[in-house]
């Protein structure tokens, strides 16, 4: 039976990744290790570009976001407070015959995980009932390997941001609303890693925790909370934005980011999580999906897409948890609120006080605090409003670097098969990366490698561009072969240094041929204009 075409495409991508040095299996010489991947020379550049673009977009190009780089291993109490120790698990079932282990919620072939049914490994073995399997990797800190020394590799970068919230606030001169961004490794002992790098056990995240004022505080200061406009970008942030406007803003900002790096809207999809799907802390979550070849299809046969990034409105859950569990205050003081509160009519104060108190109590009772203690604490919290105090809420855009790399590779891949006059079949591959993410920006090629004048000039061009971008110097083989090699690496531009560059046609002295990857178009550019031509295209 023929392979479904989406599997064929994935196979081609996996094989290209290895052949051209984008992604290799980790520990391959020892047979590999499931769920772990290494990035080769081109993959490392691609990844670096993506992370740098995210970092620049999210922090350096904004006044209201600052960065953090925290450790991977943190105090285990953080993971207790965040809920990961108790609830970060997948339902797992074992096959009693073949000893295979599966995620009960993701194995279509297993009709009902509660009952013995067919094993996906086709051994028809009986299955165990599902059990919770915690996804955090454990290790020990220090020389003793007992329960007191257990620590975890972080399963998300977000918690470090919450744990350092007060330090960052106090040292960065930021005021709510503001965000803290972090890029870094995360580890999850996934039961069934799959789809190449899509679900790995070690991966990278790019996360922003954007802290906002609770809606009651906005209402006290601005009189009302802005209504969320029709779908689409709500525009520049406004002081009267509540969590819904901020949530929509970040969804649209993130889509704009994907568009800027070559993933057009029609390659993406959206999934608004249903109340049943929402994590216990979330008020709303919108997943941005990418239509990976292995995605499921809808009723019309269209790819539905798989999660690339989740944008969650996490309420004040995380900071509240860390305040409760560490005993350290996580609230902020807001002078604007204190002043505004004093000017509010009594009925308005009472109304806002009651709503804030109810929300705080809801959170506290959910976390197991007794009704009496929750009422006492919530009352205290609501009394804080008059003093200008509250715990910020959070909007969290959380993206996976590796999933984005896979999306970019899939999106860029194109191939064509030609048969030449001698009947030889040749397949050419072009990776049509956006120049901003392309691992190599420019190929620099002397027409002939045995002409010292051409080589010297080509070195000059290479050295001119090198401090600004990743350049690949190639003098081996025919120029057509060299172009083809760069097409396969996704290099958007190639520069050829020929005899006209040296002044054979005097009017072309010190110009080069610039070839465009996607349509093979060629134009002549002065060496002195190269940087001004190239830089805006790759940044
Ligand atoms: N702090 C929120 C959080 O971690 P998540 O939906 O579990 O949320 C965020 O993860 C993103 O991290 C996902 O959208 C995905 O891109 C990436 N991600 C999660 N698990 C992954 C895995 N096993 N392999 C690769 N990427 C993963």
């Amino acid at each position: 039976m023929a392979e479904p075409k989406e599997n064929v495409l994935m196979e081609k991508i996996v094989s290209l990744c290895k052949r051209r040095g984008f992604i290799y299996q980790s520990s391959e010489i020892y047979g590999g290790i499931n769920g772990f991947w290494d990035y080769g020379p081109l993959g490392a550049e691609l990844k670096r570009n993506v992370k740098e673009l995210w970092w620049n977009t999210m922090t350096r190009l904004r006044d209201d976001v600052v960065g953090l780089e925290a450790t991977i291993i943190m105090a285990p109490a953080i993971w207790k407070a965040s809920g990961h120790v108790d609830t970060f698990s997948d339902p797992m079932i074992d096959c009693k015959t073949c000893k295979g282990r599966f995620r009960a919620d993701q194995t279509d072939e297993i009709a009902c995980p509660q009952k013995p049914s067919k094993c996906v490994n086709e051994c028809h073995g009986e299955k165990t009932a599902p059990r919770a399997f915690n996804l955090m990797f454990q290790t020990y800190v220090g020389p003793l390997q007992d329960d007191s020394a257990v620590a975890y590799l972080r399963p998300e970068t977000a918690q470090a941001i919450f744990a350092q919230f007060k330090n960052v606030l106090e040292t960065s001169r930021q005021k709510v609303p503001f965000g803290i961004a972090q890029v870094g490794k995360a580890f999850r002992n996934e039961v069934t890693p799959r789809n190449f790098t899509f679900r790995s056990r070690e991966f990278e995240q790019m996360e922003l925790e954007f802290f906002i004022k609770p809606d009651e505080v906005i209402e006290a200061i601005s009189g009302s909370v802005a209504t969320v406009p029709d779908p689409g970008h709500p525009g520049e942030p406004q002081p009267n934005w509540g969590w819904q406007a901020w949530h929509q803003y970040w969804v649209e900002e993130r889509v704009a980011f994907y568009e800027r790096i070559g993933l057009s809207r029609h390659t993406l999809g959206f999934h608004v999580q249903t109340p049943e799907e929402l994590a216990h802390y979330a008020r709303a979550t919108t997943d941005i999906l990418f239509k990976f070849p292995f995605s499921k299809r809808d009723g019309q046969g269209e790819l539905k897409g798989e999660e690339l990034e989740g944008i969650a409105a996490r309420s004040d859950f995380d900071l509240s948890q860390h305040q409760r569990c560490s005993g350290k205050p996580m609230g902020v003081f807001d002078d604007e609120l204190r002043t505004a509160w004093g000017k509010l009519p009594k009925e308005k104060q009472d109304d806002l006080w009651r709503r804030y108190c109810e929300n705080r109590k809801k959170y506290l009772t959910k976390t197991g605090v007794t009704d009496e203690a929750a009422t006492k604490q919530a009352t205290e919290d609501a009394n804080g409003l008059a003093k200008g105090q509250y715990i910020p809420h959070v909007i969290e855009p959380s993206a996976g670097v590796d999933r984005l790399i896979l999306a970019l590779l899939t999106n860029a891949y194109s191939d064509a098969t030609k048969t030449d006059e001698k009947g030889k079949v040749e397949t050419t591959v072009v990776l049509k990366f956006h120049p901003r993410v392309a691992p190599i920006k420019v190929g620099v090629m002397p027409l002939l490698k045995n002409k010292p004048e051409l080589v010297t000039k080509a070195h000059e061009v290479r050295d001119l561009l090198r401090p600004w971008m990743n350049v690949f110097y190639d003098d081996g083989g025919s120029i057509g072969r060299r172009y083809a090699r760069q097409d396969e690496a996704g290099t958007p531009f190639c520069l050829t240094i020929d005899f006209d560059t040296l002044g054979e046609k005097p009017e072309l002295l010190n110009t080069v041929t610039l070839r465009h990857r996607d349509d093979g178009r060629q134009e002549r550019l002065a060496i002195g204009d190269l940087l001004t031509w190239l830089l805006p295209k790759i940044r």
Side-chain angles (χ1 to χ4, degrees):
M1 202 170 72
E3 276 282 288
K5 76 176 186 308
E6 43 270 43
N7 293 358
V8 174
L9 176 58
M10 277 313 291
E11 271 169 29
K12 285 177 177 176
I13 289 170
V14 173
S15 123
L16 175 81
C17 280
K18 178 168 156 87
R19 183 160 53 80
R20 287 310 310 257
F22 281 96
I23 302 173
Y24 314 121
Q25 195 183 16
S26 164
S27 324
E28 194 190 86
I29 58 167
Y30 290 101
I33 169 166
N34 198 6
F36 296 86
W37 301 95
D38 293 340
Y39 288 78
L42 290 178
E45 289 289 341
L46 177 62
K47 216 175 180 199
R48 192 171 272 266
N49 291 342
V50 163
K51 290 190 282 182
E52 208 171 288
L53 284 161
W54 185 92
W55 186 262
N56 285 344
T57 309
M58 302 298 262
T59 69
R60 293 188 180 163
L61 293 172
R62 304 183 61 102
D63 292 327
D64 57 357
V65 178
V66 290
L68 178 73
E69 193 154 329
T71 58
I72 284 169
I73 294 179
M74 299 186 282
I78 287 185
W79 305 111
K80 186 77 188 153
S82 67
H84 284 83
V85 170
D86 296 325
T87 62
F88 192 57
S89 54
D90 278 337
M92 181 189 75
I93 47 176
D94 290 330
C95 173
K96 291 182 182 170
T97 309
C98 77
K99 309 295 176 214
R101 182 161 281 186
F102 313 99
R103 245 177 90 161
D105 59 336
Q106 279 193 352
T107 313
D108 293 341
E109 291 86 341
I110 293 172
C112 173
Q114 306 286 352
K115 294 184 199 138
S117 91
K118 272 190 182 178
C119 173
V120 283
N121 280 10
E122 289 164 11
C123 76
H124 300 255
E126 191 188 332
K127 305 296 170 304
T128 61
R131 285 169 294 140
F133 171 73
N134 194 293
L135 300 185
M136 282 197 294
F137 279 101
Q138 273 192 25
T139 185
Y140 298 96
V141 172
L144 289 177
Q145 299 213 341
D146 61 17
D147 285 353
S148 69
V150 166
Y152 305 97
L153 304 192
R154 66 182 178 202
E156 62 171 16
T157 64
Q159 290 306 320
I161 297 180
F162 299 124
Q164 291 292 4
F165 169 71
K166 274 319 235 342
N167 274 334
V168 175
L169 179 73
E170 277 153 25
T171 51
S172 65
R173 296 174 57 82
Q174 289 286 345
K175 282 202 309 205
V176 176
F178 82 102
I180 306 176
Q182 179 165 221
V183 178
K185 290 269 187 181
F187 302 82
R188 295 182 189 178
N189 198 3
E190 299 283 358
V191 180
T192 44
R194 59 183 182 156
N195 289 329
F196 198 18
T197 56
F198 181 82
R199 175 160 290 115
S200 312
R201 288 179 165 142
E202 174 174 339
F203 55 98
E204 274 186 281
Q205 290 186 315
M206 305 183 285
E207 296 199 295
L208 168 69
E209 306 304 322
F210 195 82
F211 299 94
I212 56 172
K213 302 178 194 200
D215 279 9
E216 294 83 9
V217 171
I218 296 291
E219 214 175 310
I221 296 172
S222 300
S224 63
V225 175
T227 50
V228 186
D230 290 336
H233 200 299
E236 281 299 297
Q238 299 299 323
N240 64 346
W241 277 10
W243 72 267
Q244 284 170 312
W246 275 112
H247 186 242
Q248 191 170 328
Y249 169 84
W250 279 113
V251 171
E252 290 297 329
E253 282 291 295
R254 298 301 304 139
V255 172
F257 173 81
Y258 290 124
E259 287 178 320
R260 279 200 295 278
I261 59 173
L263 300 182
S264 59
R265 243 170 222 260
H266 78 267
T267 68
L268 304 175
F270 298 91
H271 174 65
V272 177
Q273 290 191 9
T274 60
E276 298 73 49
E277 289 172 313
L278 285 177
H280 56 287
Y281 50 76
R283 284 176 146 181
T285 298
T286 300
D287 292 333
I288 300 179
L289 316 177
F290 176 77
K291 293 174 186 165
F292 287 103
F294 48 78
S295 315
K296 294 211 170 69
R297 289 180 186 273
D298 64 17
Q300 280 78 50
E302 288 291 312
L303 287 174
K304 282 203 279 198
E306 295 282 340
E307 180 184 331
L308 199 55
E309 164 159 2
I311 296 121
R314 293 178 75 120
S315 69
D316 55 3
F317 176 82
D318 302 274
L319 289 182
S320 301
Q321 279 293 92
H322 289 304
Q323 172 169 290
R324 208 168 56 79
C325 299
S326 71
K328 303 284 186 314
M330 288 289 162
V332 298
F333 168 71
D334 189 326
D335 204 24
E336 228 187 328
L337 169 63
R338 196 181 51 162
T339 314
W341 191 268
K343 294 182 188 159
L344 289 177
K346 175 82 172 60
E347 316 80 76
K348 187 74 184 171
Q349 285 181 347
D350 289 349
D351 176 40
L352 293 175
W353 187 98
R354 183 185 49 75
R355 277 151 53 196
Y356 192 75
C357 186
E358 268 168 19
N359 283 337
R360 295 298 299 157
K361 191 171 166 196
K362 218 184 278 168
Y363 149 72
L364 288 159
T365 26
K366 222 180 192 179
T367 55
V369 176
T370 62
D371 194 61
E372 195 187 342
T375 306
K376 187 165 172 274
Q377 183 60 53
T379 304
E380 239 174 72
D381 293 346
N383 287 343
L385 291 175
K387 299 178 216 154
Q389 287 162 353
Y390 60 85
I391 296 190
H393 284 226
V394 164
I395 306 293
E396 177 199 63
S398 169
V401 181
D402 309 79
R403 285 192 188 175
L404 178 49
I405 297 296
L406 190 55
L408 291 169
L409 281 161
T410 313
N411 187 59
Y413 187 90
S414 110
D415 62 14
T417 302
K418 277 195 294 207
T419 309
D420 68 14
E421 331 61 84
K422 293 181 196 136
K424 197 172 147 216
V425 180
E426 204 182 14
T427 301
T428 51
V429 174
V430 182
L431 285 182
K432 296 183 174 175
F433 289 128
H434 190 287
R436 291 196 179 104
V437 293
I440 301 167
K441 308 299 183 193
V442 183
V444 175
M445 306 167 179
L447 186 63
L448 299 168
K449 71 171 173 191
N450 55 3
K451 291 280 174 229
E453 318 86 281
L454 288 176
V455 170
T456 306
K457 201 72 190 169
H459 284 172
E460 230 176 74
V461 172
R462 177 198 63 190
D463 294 345
L464 168 80
L465 301 179
R466 238 180 199 177
W468 302 93
M469 63 195 76
N470 193 26
V471 174
F472 191 86
Y473 183 85
D474 191 359
D475 61 9
S478 74
I479 206 78
R481 276 258 157 259
R482 284 183 261 168
Y483 284 158
R485 281 201 289 266
Q486 289 309 309
D487 287 348
E488 221 180 33
T491 308
F493 311 111
C494 284
L495 303 175
T496 306
I497 287 79
D498 55 21
F499 292 103
D500 287 338
T501 314
L502 304 177
E504 198 168 276
K505 285 201 194 98
E507 69 278 17
L508 295 182
L509 178 69
N510 282 330
T511 63
V512 293
T513 300
L514 181 142
R515 174 199 177 256
H516 295 255
R517 175 198 59 206
D518 297 346
D519 54 10
R521 194 160 40 92
Q522 302 201 353
E523 59 185 303
R524 207 75 199 175
L525 269 186
I527 293 172
D529 291 340
L530 282 176
L531 275 176
T532 38
W533 193 93
L534 286 165
L535 285 178
K537 296 184 174 58
I538 63 167
R539 285 183 167 172

